[in-house]
Amino acid sequence: MRRRTAEQGLFWAGVSSPPNPADAGLNMTTVDGGFLVNGRRTFATGAAVADRLVASARDGSGEIRTFLVDARAPGIGHPDDWDNIGQRLSASGSVVFDGVHVDADDVLGSPPSGDVRISLTSLAFQAILAQICVAIAEGALAEAADYTRRRARPWLLSGAAAAAEDPYVLAGYGELVAGVRAAGLLADHGTAALQDAADRGAELTAEQRGAAAATISAAKIVATRTVNETTAGIFEFLGARATAGSFGFDRFWRNARTLTLHDPVVYKARELGAHYLTGEPPEPTAYS
C-alpha cells in the first residue's frame, strides 16, 4: 500500500482516533505480519466514497498509530447512517472496522510528541471551517441577490417599481454584505496567522501558537454567527414564493446549521476571552 500512495485519480479520506471520549474509536492488536483493527468511528467524512483511508487506532499500550488501508478492504463497512439535515454530500457517516488486517509495512508510525508544530493541524481545520462558513454565506447572498433582481416583487407599500429598489431591501442586503465581508477578512486574517505560525518551523513557541489559535478562534466565532444569520436572513428579502422547494434556498441554512455544530463555538469564545483577559493560550486539542 505504501508503495502505491502516488497513484493518480484516487480519493483519500481520513479516519482518526477519537479525541471524544464518548466515541471508542478504533483499536489494533498485533498479529503475525501486522495488525488487526476493530472498532467504529461515528463521523468519518468521505470514507464511504473513498478509495484509500489514512486511519489511526490505539494499540495495546494505548499509543496511537497511523496506517494506510484500502477503503474496500475485507472487514470495512460503511453503514448508511448519514441522515443529517445539511452537508448531505459530505458522506460523513460512520465507518466500521471488523477484523481488518493491516500489514506492518502500511503502519506509518505514531505522531511525534513534544513538537508544538504538530498541534497546528487542529488550527488548520478550524481555519478551514471558518473559510467554508464565509463561502456558504457568500453563495447564499449571490443566489438571493439574483432572485431579488429577477423574480422578487416589491411590497405594495414600498412605492418602488422593483424589489431591488425597495429601500428596506437595499438596507437589508447592505447589512448582510457588510457582515459577510467582515467575516471574510477575519477568516483571511486567521489563515495568515496560521501560515505565519507554520513558517516559524522549529522556532515556533507555545505562546506564538496560542496567539495564532486565538486569532483563528475569533474568525470561527464571527464566521459562525455570520453564516447562520445570513442564510436565515436572506428570506426576509426574497418573499414567501422563494420558500418553494424548487429554489432550494434552504440548503444554505441547512448546510451552515450542520457545519457550525462541528464543535461548540462557545468554547472558542471562552478561549478567546481567556487569552484576551489573562493571556492564557488555548489548550491544544483536536479542536483548538
Side-chain angles (χ1 to χ4, degrees), residues 241-250:
R241 291 179 178 82
T243 61
S246 59
F247 296 118
F249 285 114
D250 61 311

Side-chain angles (χ1 to χ4, degrees), residues 55-74:
S56 60
R58 296 187 185 276
D59 62 16
S61 67
E63 184 176 2
I64 296 177
R65 294 178 179 267
T66 301
F67 59 92
L68 309 178
V69 66
D70 191 308
R72 306 301 163 189

Side-chain angles (χ1 to χ4, degrees), residues 207-258:
E207 291 74 19
Q208 291 166 340
R209 191 266 184 201
T215 301
I216 293 169
S217 288
K220 179 77 178 299
I221 293 165
V222 173
T224 295
R225 179 171 63 244
T226 299
V227 72
N228 285 328
E229 290 178 351
T230 301
T231 55
I234 57 173
F235 288 97
E236 299 294 334
F237 317 117
L238 297 176
R241 291 179 178 82
T243 61
S246 59
F247 296 118
F249 285 114
D250 61 311
R251 74 188 188 279
F252 295 106
W253 178 84
R254 289 186 286 107
N255 284 334
R257 185 65 279 182
T258 296

Side-chain angles (χ1 to χ4, degrees), residues 16-18 20-27 38-42 56-58:
S16 61
S17 185
N20 183 354
D23 192 336
L26 306 181
N27 296 284
N38 290 279
R40 182 187 187 112
R41 284 294 285 119
T42 303
S56 60
R58 296 187 185 276

Side-chain angles (χ1 to χ4, degrees), residues 82-179:
W82 184 239
D83 190 33
N84 296 58
I85 63 172
Q87 301 292 318
R88 298 292 297 129
L89 296 181
S90 69
S92 294
S94 61
V95 58
V96 176
F97 283 65
D98 184 9
V100 177
H101 184 271
V102 176
D103 291 337
D105 288 343
D106 290 332
V107 177
L108 303 179
S110 301
S113 59
D115 189 338
V116 68
R117 292 175 295 175
I118 299 300
S119 66
L120 291 180
T121 57
S122 58
L123 297 186
F125 193 69
Q126 293 296 321
I128 290 170
L129 288 176
Q131 293 283 3
I132 293 175
C133 286
V134 172
I136 292 173
E138 290 175 339
L141 270 179
E143 290 208 18
D146 181 66
Y147 180 95
T148 299
R149 297 185 193 102
R150 297 190 302 110
R151 291 176 175 268
R153 300 179 181 181
W155 184 240
L156 58 91
L157 298 178
S158 69
E165 297 174 3
D166 186 318
Y168 294 107
V169 171
L170 295 175
Y173 270 102
E175 293 286 348
L176 293 182
V177 170

